[in-house]
Amino acid sequence: MILSIASGKGGTGKTTVSVNLALSLDRVQLIDCDVEEPNDNIFIKANMENTQDVNVEIPEIDYEKCLSCGKCADFCRFNAIIDLPSGIKVFPGLCHSCGGCKLVCPNEAISWKDKKIGIIRKGTNEGISFFEGILDIGESRPTPIIKSLKYQIRADIDTILDCPPGTSCSFLETVNGSNFCILVTEPTPFGFNDLKIALEALKEMHIPFGVIINRDGIGDDEIEIFCKNERIPVLLKIPYNKDIAKLYSKGEPFINYFPEISEQLVLIFNNIKGMVK
Amino acid sequence: MKIAISSTGTELTSQVDQRFGRCSYFLIVDVETNNFEVYPNSAASAPNGAGIEAAKNLVKKGVKAIISGNIGPNAFQILQAEGIEVVPEFKGTADEAVRFFKEGNYSKAAHHNVNAHSGLGR
């Protein structure tokens, strides 16, 4: 099973739920897909090793062959190739590696070259096979790294994907293909607003989902009323508790101190697994 | 000689738009005659590379200098490669910008003055 943990809003507790769930299970794969700010390993504490560079392909112009016809620049929707009197110019940072420029070039003047945009690292601890991706500073495309991370998903072991916040490309790339998605939210107007956006995206993608309300008790019951009306399962409410916050601030998982929440997380996991089969 | 001024409106009394790639209009002014042409900036709504697209369009228009507020690295690279003078960080109206340019008491930019995506306001 592939279970993704998402939220829409940042800071609601995706990482908290992901790592505490993973640590509560006997054998699981955990993949931190928040490649712009991966921090699951602060809690997992695995010894990490670099496994591979993630490259994207960008066009390289052979100016000996280039006819300056401008067809590549006309084709590019991202302004990554521009036709100028001084010659065709490539802006690699804007390229989405679609390959169209190479196809439309009448004189085979365009070839591909690799450009590194990040790395993938792996480690193991407490029965967790853990992966994380790191986007290089200054790079703007997280999705190729998330794709490479998802190639690590094995069929013979359950996988938890810790999603990036938001509902744009990196979120969609991560949840795509999940059997189920847990949306972690908090009972505030901010959590509620972003939850609604995220669940609309999941509906479009036909991914079944349920909600975990974190920091239950700090706000109102709008989310619960909404979920009841919309028939969205509220899987768990994690109470607002200073001790959980203290453990978090030290980079400590809470499961050893709150075994009842750990048990509930395992129960939810097994129920979802039974349901998606 | 023609110069382009990023502008918030369609008159010479309009304020210079501080954004280059995502400005509303370019006023293309003939500095000898003060005649000008209003050129709506089609790059303003580009999802990516607005500065690049705006710069390319101005190259095609044959302007020799640009007066604006903020110029990013990609647009600057094009303007520099095409030998177009860049006068950034101008605050005031378009006709003040023309006068300022004619007086010649400016130093042309040797480098972009803001980072990429500054015109997106985030």
Side-chain angles (χ1 to χ4, degrees), chain A residues 12-56:
Chain A
T12 58
K14 287 179 294 298
T15 296
T16 302
V17 169
S18 300
V19 299
N20 284 288
L21 171 60
L23 288 164
S24 300
L25 296 166
D26 291 333
R27 190 168 161 268
V28 73
Q29 219 181 4
L30 173 65
I31 305 183
D32 190 347
C33 294
D34 191 359
V35 302
E36 292 179 68
E37 42 209 5
N39 51 24
D40 286 7
N41 201 39
I42 293 172
F43 298 93
I44 302 296
K45 304 180 202 313
N47 284 323
M48 302 300 282
E49 52 170 316
N50 293 359
T51 55
Q52 66 178 88
D53 288 347
V54 180
N55 297 317
V56 292

mmCIF file of all heavy atoms in Angstrom, chain A residues 12-56:
data_model
loop_
_atom_site.group_PDB
_atom_site.id
_atom_site.type_symbol
_atom_site.label_atom_id
_atom_site.label_comp_id
_atom_site.label_asym_id
_atom_site.label_seq_id
_atom_site.Cartn_x
_atom_site.Cartn_y
_atom_site.Cartn_z
ATOM 1 N N THR A 12 0.998 21.729 9.953
ATOM 2 C CA THR A 12 -0.131 21.140 10.684
ATOM 3 C C THR A 12 0.252 19.846 11.389
ATOM 4 O O THR A 12 -0.442 19.419 12.300
ATOM 5 C CB THR A 12 -1.307 20.819 9.733
ATOM 6 O OG1 THR A 12 -0.836 19.929 8.732
ATOM 7 C CG2 THR A 12 -1.873 22.067 9.108
ATOM 8 N N GLY A 13 1.343 19.212 10.933
ATOM 9 C CA GLY A 13 1.760 17.969 11.588
ATOM 10 C C GLY A 13 1.937 16.779 10.649
ATOM 11 O O GLY A 13 1.854 15.640 11.091
ATOM 12 N N LYS A 14 2.199 17.044 9.372
ATOM 13 C CA LYS A 14 2.461 15.951 8.424
ATOM 14 C C LYS A 14 3.647 15.115 8.869
ATOM 15 O O LYS A 14 3.582 13.892 8.900
ATOM 16 C CB LYS A 14 2.821 16.499 7.030
ATOM 17 C CG LYS A 14 1.693 17.089 6.245
ATOM 18 C CD LYS A 14 2.190 17.615 4.909
ATOM 19 C CE LYS A 14 3.129 18.789 5.031
ATOM 20 N NZ LYS A 14 2.561 19.979 5.660
ATOM 21 N N THR A 15 4.735 15.814 9.192
ATOM 22 C CA THR A 15 5.947 15.104 9.591
ATOM 23 C C THR A 15 5.707 14.354 10.894
ATOM 24 O O THR A 15 6.110 13.199 11.039
ATOM 25 C CB THR A 15 7.111 16.107 9.726
ATOM 26 O OG1 THR A 15 7.362 16.653 8.430
ATOM 27 C CG2 THR A 15 8.359 15.443 10.252
ATOM 28 N N THR A 16 5.028 14.987 11.844
ATOM 29 C CA THR A 16 4.721 14.346 13.135
ATOM 30 C C THR A 16 3.969 13.040 12.903
ATOM 31 O O THR A 16 4.332 11.996 13.449
ATOM 32 C CB THR A 16 3.870 15.300 14.001
ATOM 33 O OG1 THR A 16 4.603 16.505 14.175
ATOM 34 C CG2 THR A 16 3.563 14.698 15.357
ATOM 35 N N VAL A 17 2.914 13.106 12.089
ATOM 36 C CA VAL A 17 2.117 11.895 11.836
ATOM 37 C C VAL A 17 2.953 10.869 11.076
ATOM 38 O O VAL A 17 2.975 9.680 11.424
ATOM 39 C CB VAL A 17 0.817 12.249 11.069
ATOM 40 C CG1 VAL A 17 0.118 10.991 10.573
ATOM 41 C CG2 VAL A 17 -0.128 13.057 11.958
ATOM 42 N N SER A 18 3.673 11.321 10.036
ATOM 43 C CA SER A 18 4.459 10.384 9.210
ATOM 44 C C SER A 18 5.486 9.614 10.034
ATOM 45 O O SER A 18 5.549 8.389 9.971
ATOM 46 C CB SER A 18 5.196 11.136 8.098
ATOM 47 O OG SER A 18 4.297 11.813 7.267
ATOM 48 N N VAL A 19 6.293 10.345 10.800
ATOM 49 C CA VAL A 19 7.391 9.665 11.504
ATOM 50 C C VAL A 19 6.859 8.828 12.673
ATOM 51 O O VAL A 19 7.342 7.717 12.910
ATOM 52 C CB VAL A 19 8.492 10.645 11.989
ATOM 53 C CG1 VAL A 19 9.116 11.372 10.815
ATOM 54 C CG2 VAL A 19 7.977 11.650 13.002
ATOM 55 N N ASN A 20 5.853 9.340 13.372
ATOM 56 C CA ASN A 20 5.341 8.557 14.498
ATOM 57 C C ASN A 20 4.595 7.318 14.030
ATOM 58 O O ASN A 20 4.666 6.268 14.673
ATOM 59 C CB ASN A 20 4.474 9.425 15.414
ATOM 60 C CG ASN A 20 5.330 10.333 16.281
ATOM 61 O OD1 ASN A 20 5.988 9.875 17.207
ATOM 62 N ND2 ASN A 20 5.370 11.616 15.955
ATOM 63 N N LEU A 21 3.913 7.419 12.893
ATOM 64 C CA LEU A 21 3.270 6.237 12.308
ATOM 65 C C LEU A 21 4.335 5.240 11.861
ATOM 66 O O LEU A 21 4.271 4.056 12.182
ATOM 67 C CB LEU A 21 2.377 6.650 11.132
ATOM 68 C CG LEU A 21 1.810 5.514 10.279
ATOM 69 C CD1 LEU A 21 0.938 4.581 11.116
ATOM 70 C CD2 LEU A 21 0.990 6.054 9.106
ATOM 71 N N ALA A 22 5.334 5.732 11.128
ATOM 72 C CA ALA A 22 6.388 4.836 10.616
ATOM 73 C C ALA A 22 7.093 4.119 11.771
ATOM 74 O O ALA A 22 7.339 2.912 11.715
ATOM 75 C CB ALA A 22 7.386 5.625 9.777
ATOM 76 N N LEU A 23 7.386 4.858 12.838
ATOM 77 C CA LEU A 23 8.095 4.269 13.977
ATOM 78 C C LEU A 23 7.197 3.308 14.767
ATOM 79 O O LEU A 23 7.692 2.461 15.494
ATOM 80 C CB LEU A 23 8.626 5.375 14.897
ATOM 81 C CG LEU A 23 9.808 6.180 14.348
ATOM 82 C CD1 LEU A 23 10.007 7.468 15.132
ATOM 83 C CD2 LEU A 23 11.089 5.341 14.368
ATOM 84 N N SER A 24 5.881 3.450 14.619
ATOM 85 C CA SER A 24 4.954 2.555 15.317
ATOM 86 C C SER A 24 4.775 1.232 14.581
ATOM 87 O O SER A 24 4.288 0.261 15.154
ATOM 88 C CB SER A 24 3.573 3.219 15.452
ATOM 89 O OG SER A 24 3.660 4.423 16.171
ATOM 90 N N LEU A 25 5.152 1.203 13.301
ATOM 91 C CA LEU A 25 4.979 -0.008 12.497
ATOM 92 C C LEU A 25 6.262 -0.836 12.529
ATOM 93 O O LEU A 25 7.353 -0.313 12.773
ATOM 94 C CB LEU A 25 4.627 0.366 11.050
ATOM 95 C CG LEU A 25 3.290 1.103 10.868
ATOM 96 C CD1 LEU A 25 3.208 1.713 9.475
ATOM 97 C CD2 LEU A 25 2.108 0.173 11.124
ATOM 98 N N ASP A 26 6.130 -2.149 12.275
ATOM 99 C CA ASP A 26 7.293 -3.029 12.362
ATOM 100 C C ASP A 26 8.228 -2.865 11.171
ATOM 101 O O ASP A 26 9.434 -2.814 11.311
ATOM 102 C CB ASP A 26 6.839 -4.490 12.411
ATOM 103 C CG ASP A 26 6.141 -4.791 13.720
ATOM 104 O OD1 ASP A 26 6.454 -4.106 14.716
ATOM 105 O OD2 ASP A 26 5.268 -5.682 13.741
ATOM 106 N N ARG A 27 7.649 -2.780 9.989
ATOM 107 C CA ARG A 27 8.486 -2.783 8.803
ATOM 108 C C ARG A 27 7.790 -1.908 7.768
ATOM 109 O O ARG A 27 6.670 -2.186 7.362
ATOM 110 C CB ARG A 27 8.586 -4.226 8.287
ATOM 111 C CG ARG A 27 9.600 -4.429 7.203
ATOM 112 C CD ARG A 27 9.834 -5.928 6.981
ATOM 113 N NE ARG A 27 10.431 -6.141 5.677
ATOM 114 C CZ ARG A 27 9.733 -6.372 4.573
ATOM 115 N NH1 ARG A 27 8.425 -6.431 4.617
ATOM 116 N NH2 ARG A 27 10.344 -6.539 3.409
ATOM 117 N N VAL A 28 8.423 -0.845 7.387
ATOM 118 C CA VAL A 28 7.768 0.094 6.481
ATOM 119 C C VAL A 28 8.823 0.917 5.738
ATOM 120 O O VAL A 28 9.974 1.031 6.183
ATOM 121 C CB VAL A 28 6.795 1.013 7.264
ATOM 122 C CG1 VAL A 28 7.578 2.036 8.098
ATOM 123 C CG2 VAL A 28 5.792 1.718 6.371
ATOM 124 N N GLN A 29 8.420 1.434 4.603
ATOM 125 C CA GLN A 29 9.273 2.350 3.871
ATOM 126 C C GLN A 29 8.722 3.756 4.111
ATOM 127 O O GLN A 29 7.514 3.971 3.987
ATOM 128 C CB GLN A 29 9.132 2.012 2.382
ATOM 129 C CG GLN A 29 10.400 2.106 1.625
ATOM 130 C CD GLN A 29 10.225 1.787 0.150
ATOM 131 O OE1 GLN A 29 9.120 1.560 -0.356
ATOM 132 N NE2 GLN A 29 11.333 1.772 -0.555
ATOM 133 N N LEU A 30 9.592 4.672 4.474
ATOM 134 C CA LEU A 30 9.159 6.074 4.657
ATOM 135 C C LEU A 30 9.948 6.935 3.676
ATOM 136 O O LEU A 30 11.180 6.853 3.611
ATOM 137 C CB LEU A 30 9.424 6.528 6.100
ATOM 138 C CG LEU A 30 9.181 8.016 6.399
ATOM 139 C CD1 LEU A 30 7.708 8.386 6.239
ATOM 140 C CD2 LEU A 30 9.659 8.373 7.806
ATOM 141 N N ILE A 31 9.221 7.745 2.913
ATOM 142 C CA ILE A 31 9.889 8.604 1.926
ATOM 143 C C ILE A 31 9.508 10.049 2.192
ATOM 144 O O ILE A 31 8.333 10.413 2.145
ATOM 145 C CB ILE A 31 9.514 8.204 0.482
ATOM 146 C CG1 ILE A 31 9.821 6.715 0.259
ATOM 147 C CG2 ILE A 31 10.257 9.076 -0.512
ATOM 148 C CD1 ILE A 31 9.551 6.217 -1.151
ATOM 149 N N ASP A 32 10.508 10.865 2.501
ATOM 150 C CA ASP A 32 10.267 12.292 2.751
ATOM 151 C C ASP A 32 10.302 13.015 1.404
ATOM 152 O O ASP A 32 11.372 13.234 0.832
ATOM 153 C CB ASP A 32 11.340 12.839 3.699
ATOM 154 C CG ASP A 32 10.988 14.248 4.190
ATOM 155 O OD1 ASP A 32 10.078 14.870 3.613
ATOM 156 O OD2 ASP A 32 11.634 14.710 5.155
ATOM 157 N N CYS A 33 9.111 13.351 0.906
ATOM 158 C CA CYS A 33 9.007 13.990 -0.422
ATOM 159 C C CYS A 33 8.999 15.511 -0.334
ATOM 160 O O CYS A 33 8.800 16.186 -1.343
ATOM 161 C CB CYS A 33 7.742 13.505 -1.127
ATOM 162 S SG CYS A 33 7.799 11.754 -1.534
ATOM 163 N N ASP A 34 9.191 16.044 0.846
ATOM 164 C CA ASP A 34 9.265 17.505 0.992
ATOM 165 C C ASP A 34 10.699 17.926 0.689
ATOM 166 O O ASP A 34 11.471 18.275 1.581
ATOM 167 C CB ASP A 34 8.856 17.895 2.423
ATOM 168 C CG ASP A 34 8.652 19.394 2.556
ATOM 169 O OD1 ASP A 34 8.845 20.116 1.563
ATOM 170 O OD2 ASP A 34 8.321 19.845 3.665
ATOM 171 N N VAL A 35 11.038 17.878 -0.601
ATOM 172 C CA VAL A 35 12.444 17.977 -1.006
ATOM 173 C C VAL A 35 13.040 19.381 -0.860
ATOM 174 O O VAL A 35 14.237 19.567 -0.980
ATOM 175 C CB VAL A 35 12.652 17.470 -2.449
ATOM 176 C CG1 VAL A 35 12.186 16.031 -2.586
ATOM 177 C CG2 VAL A 35 11.932 18.354 -3.452
ATOM 178 N N GLU A 36 12.173 20.354 -0.586
ATOM 179 C CA GLU A 36 12.701 21.701 -0.363
ATOM 180 C C GLU A 36 13.078 21.904 1.100
ATOM 181 O O GLU A 36 13.837 22.810 1.425
ATOM 182 C CB GLU A 36 11.678 22.755 -0.809
ATOM 183 C CG GLU A 36 11.503 22.748 -2.316
ATOM 184 C CD GLU A 36 10.477 23.749 -2.793
ATOM 185 O OE1 GLU A 36 10.732 24.953 -2.691
ATOM 186 O OE2 GLU A 36 9.405 23.307 -3.261
ATOM 187 N N GLU A 37 12.495 21.098 1.971
ATOM 188 C CA GLU A 37 12.845 21.184 3.389
ATOM 189 C C GLU A 37 12.615 19.844 4.083
ATOM 190 O O GLU A 37 11.752 19.708 4.941
ATOM 191 C CB GLU A 37 12.039 22.296 4.081
ATOM 192 C CG GLU A 37 10.590 22.332 3.668
ATOM 193 C CD GLU A 37 9.973 23.722 3.746
ATOM 194 O OE1 GLU A 37 10.694 24.698 4.042
ATOM 195 O OE2 GLU A 37 8.764 23.821 3.519
ATOM 196 N N PRO A 38 13.400 18.828 3.667
ATOM 197 C CA PRO A 38 13.192 17.502 4.262
ATOM 198 C C PRO A 38 13.657 17.485 5.712
ATOM 199 O O PRO A 38 14.773 17.911 6.005
ATOM 200 C CB PRO A 38 14.068 16.592 3.394
ATOM 201 C CG PRO A 38 15.128 17.478 2.846
ATOM 202 C CD PRO A 38 14.534 18.855 2.741
ATOM 203 N N ASN A 39 12.808 17.038 6.623
ATOM 204 C CA ASN A 39 13.271 16.974 8.018
ATOM 205 C C ASN A 39 12.771 15.770 8.800
ATOM 206 O O ASN A 39 12.904 15.727 10.009
ATOM 207 C CB ASN A 39 12.989 18.293 8.762
ATOM 208 C CG ASN A 39 11.555 18.735 8.608
ATOM 209 O OD1 ASN A 39 10.676 17.897 8.353
ATOM 210 N ND2 ASN A 39 11.275 20.009 8.756
ATOM 211 N N ASP A 40 12.220 14.767 8.084
ATOM 212 C CA ASP A 40 11.815 13.537 8.785
ATOM 213 C C ASP A 40 12.978 12.920 9.547
ATOM 214 O O ASP A 40 12.799 12.337 10.617
ATOM 215 C CB ASP A 40 11.290 12.493 7.783
ATOM 216 C CG ASP A 40 9.902 12.842 7.265
ATOM 217 O OD1 ASP A 40 9.408 13.940 7.577
ATOM 218 O OD2 ASP A 40 9.321 12.007 6.543
ATOM 219 N N ASN A 41 14.177 13.035 8.956
ATOM 220 C CA ASN A 41 15.298 12.324 9.569
ATOM 221 C C ASN A 41 15.753 12.923 10.896
ATOM 222 O O ASN A 41 16.506 12.303 11.626
ATOM 223 C CB ASN A 41 16.482 12.226 8.599
ATOM 224 C CG ASN A 41 17.413 11.102 9.001
ATOM 225 O OD1 ASN A 41 16.961 10.041 9.436
ATOM 226 N ND2 ASN A 41 18.712 11.347 8.931
ATOM 227 N N ILE A 42 15.267 14.110 11.205
ATOM 228 C CA ILE A 42 15.548 14.649 12.541
ATOM 229 C C ILE A 42 14.929 13.709 13.591
ATOM 230 O O ILE A 42 15.474 13.503 14.660
ATOM 231 C CB ILE A 42 14.971 16.079 12.660
ATOM 232 C CG1 ILE A 42 15.728 17.026 11.720
ATOM 233 C CG2 ILE A 42 15.034 16.584 14.115
ATOM 234 C CD1 ILE A 42 15.121 18.416 11.598
ATOM 235 N N PHE A 43 13.791 13.107 13.211
ATOM 236 C CA PHE A 43 13.121 12.186 14.136
ATOM 237 C C PHE A 43 13.562 10.730 13.917
ATOM 238 O O PHE A 43 13.672 9.966 14.858
ATOM 239 C CB PHE A 43 11.600 12.267 13.944
ATOM 240 C CG PHE A 43 11.038 13.622 14.247
ATOM 241 C CD1 PHE A 43 10.877 14.571 13.245
ATOM 242 C CD2 PHE A 43 10.679 13.973 15.557
ATOM 243 C CE1 PHE A 43 10.371 15.825 13.517
ATOM 244 C CE2 PHE A 43 10.174 15.236 15.829
ATOM 245 C CZ PHE A 43 10.016 16.166 14.814
ATOM 246 N N ILE A 44 13.806 10.361 12.655
ATOM 247 C CA ILE A 44 14.134 8.967 12.342
ATOM 248 C C ILE A 44 15.572 8.636 12.764
ATOM 249 O O ILE A 44 15.872 7.539 13.199
ATOM 250 C CB ILE A 44 13.936 8.689 10.824
ATOM 251 C CG1 ILE A 44 12.487 9.007 10.405
ATOM 252 C CG2 ILE A 44 14.310 7.263 10.460
ATOM 253 C CD1 ILE A 44 11.418 8.143 11.039
ATOM 254 N N LYS A 45 16.458 9.601 12.642
ATOM 255 C CA LYS A 45 17.859 9.467 13.058
ATOM 256 C C LYS A 45 18.586 8.308 12.367
ATOM 257 O O LYS A 45 19.318 7.547 13.003
ATOM 258 C CB LYS A 45 17.956 9.329 14.583
ATOM 259 C CG LYS A 45 17.287 10.493 15.336
ATOM 260 C CD LYS A 45 17.410 10.316 16.830
ATOM 261 C CE LYS A 45 16.368 11.083 17.628
ATOM 262 N NZ LYS A 45 16.133 12.461 17.276
ATOM 263 N N ALA A 46 18.366 8.160 11.079
ATOM 264 C CA ALA A 46 19.090 7.134 10.311
ATOM 265 C C ALA A 46 20.422 7.720 9.850
ATOM 266 O O ALA A 46 20.540 8.920 9.654
ATOM 267 C CB ALA A 46 18.268 6.709 9.100
ATOM 268 N N ASN A 47 21.428 6.843 9.719
ATOM 269 C CA ASN A 47 22.679 7.280 9.088
ATOM 270 C C ASN A 47 22.452 7.316 7.596
ATOM 271 O O ASN A 47 22.193 6.287 6.984
ATOM 272 C CB ASN A 47 23.812 6.297 9.407
ATOM 273 C CG ASN A 47 24.297 6.489 10.825
ATOM 274 O OD1 ASN A 47 24.367 7.617 11.322
ATOM 275 N ND2 ASN A 47 24.597 5.389 11.493
ATOM 276 N N MET A 48 22.563 8.484 7.012
ATOM 277 C CA MET A 48 22.187 8.628 5.608
ATOM 278 C C MET A 48 23.401 8.526 4.699
ATOM 279 O O MET A 48 24.490 8.966 5.054
ATOM 280 C CB MET A 48 21.498 9.981 5.368
ATOM 281 C CG MET A 48 20.253 10.209 6.201
ATOM 282 S SD MET A 48 18.962 8.985 5.916
ATOM 283 C CE MET A 48 18.272 9.560 4.370
ATOM 284 N N GLU A 49 23.176 7.929 3.533
ATOM 285 C CA GLU A 49 24.214 7.962 2.493
ATOM 286 C C GLU A 49 23.597 8.465 1.195
ATOM 287 O O GLU A 49 22.422 8.222 0.924
ATOM 288 C CB GLU A 49 24.815 6.569 2.291
ATOM 289 C CG GLU A 49 23.772 5.503 2.048
ATOM 290 C CD GLU A 49 24.360 4.176 1.606
ATOM 291 O OE1 GLU A 49 25.252 4.199 0.746
ATOM 292 O OE2 GLU A 49 23.921 3.129 2.107
ATOM 293 N N ASN A 50 24.387 9.171 0.426
ATOM 294 C CA ASN A 50 23.908 9.649 -0.873
ATOM 295 C C ASN A 50 23.806 8.468 -1.822
ATOM 296 O O ASN A 50 24.743 7.679 -1.919
ATOM 297 C CB ASN A 50 24.872 10.675 -1.465
ATOM 298 C CG ASN A 50 24.909 11.951 -0.653
ATOM 299 O OD1 ASN A 50 24.194 12.081 0.336
ATOM 300 N ND2 ASN A 50 25.734 12.879 -1.059
ATOM 301 N N THR A 51 22.680 8.320 -2.480
ATOM 302 C CA THR A 51 22.556 7.196 -3.402
ATOM 303 C C THR A 51 22.650 7.633 -4.850
ATOM 304 O O THR A 51 23.203 6.936 -5.673
ATOM 305 C CB THR A 51 21.233 6.439 -3.220
ATOM 306 O OG1 THR A 51 20.161 7.371 -3.351
ATOM 307 C CG2 THR A 51 21.157 5.802 -1.850
ATOM 308 N N GLN A 52 22.101 8.780 -5.178
ATOM 309 C CA GLN A 52 22.195 9.201 -6.578
ATOM 310 C C GLN A 52 21.965 10.699 -6.738
ATOM 311 O O GLN A 52 21.270 11.314 -5.936
ATOM 312 C CB GLN A 52 21.179 8.444 -7.445
ATOM 313 C CG GLN A 52 19.735 8.791 -7.097
ATOM 314 C CD GLN A 52 18.736 8.067 -7.991
ATOM 315 O OE1 GLN A 52 18.327 6.952 -7.692
ATOM 316 N NE2 GLN A 52 18.340 8.703 -9.078
ATOM 317 N N ASP A 53 22.558 11.235 -7.788
ATOM 318 C CA ASP A 53 22.235 12.599 -8.193
ATOM 319 C C ASP A 53 20.948 12.559 -9.002
ATOM 320 O O ASP A 53 20.677 11.590 -9.688
ATOM 321 C CB ASP A 53 23.340 13.163 -9.110
ATOM 322 C CG ASP A 53 24.608 13.464 -8.334
ATOM 323 O OD1 ASP A 53 24.562 13.468 -7.094
ATOM 324 O OD2 ASP A 53 25.650 13.688 -8.984
ATOM 325 N N VAL A 54 20.165 13.614 -8.905
ATOM 326 C CA VAL A 54 18.988 13.727 -9.774
ATOM 327 C C VAL A 54 19.311 14.782 -10.834
ATOM 328 O O VAL A 54 19.660 15.919 -10.505
ATOM 329 C CB VAL A 54 17.728 14.130 -8.985
ATOM 330 C CG1 VAL A 54 16.535 14.241 -9.925
ATOM 331 C CG2 VAL A 54 17.456 13.128 -7.877
ATOM 332 N N ASN A 55 19.225 14.353 -12.093
ATOM 333 C CA ASN A 55 19.521 15.263 -13.199
ATOM 334 C C ASN A 55 18.277 15.532 -14.017
ATOM 335 O O ASN A 55 17.383 14.701 -14.076
ATOM 336 C CB ASN A 55 20.567 14.633 -14.133
ATOM 337 C CG ASN A 55 21.889 14.413 -13.434
ATOM 338 O OD1 ASN A 55 22.365 15.272 -12.698
ATOM 339 N ND2 ASN A 55 22.473 13.254 -13.634
ATOM 340 N N VAL A 56 18.232 16.686 -14.621
ATOM 341 C CA VAL A 56 17.216 16.937 -15.643
ATOM 342 C C VAL A 56 17.964 17.225 -16.943
ATOM 343 O O VAL A 56 19.143 17.579 -16.929
ATOM 344 C CB VAL A 56 16.297 18.129 -15.296
ATOM 345 C CG1 VAL A 56 15.424 17.815 -14.096
ATOM 346 C CG2 VAL A 56 17.079 19.403 -15.074
#
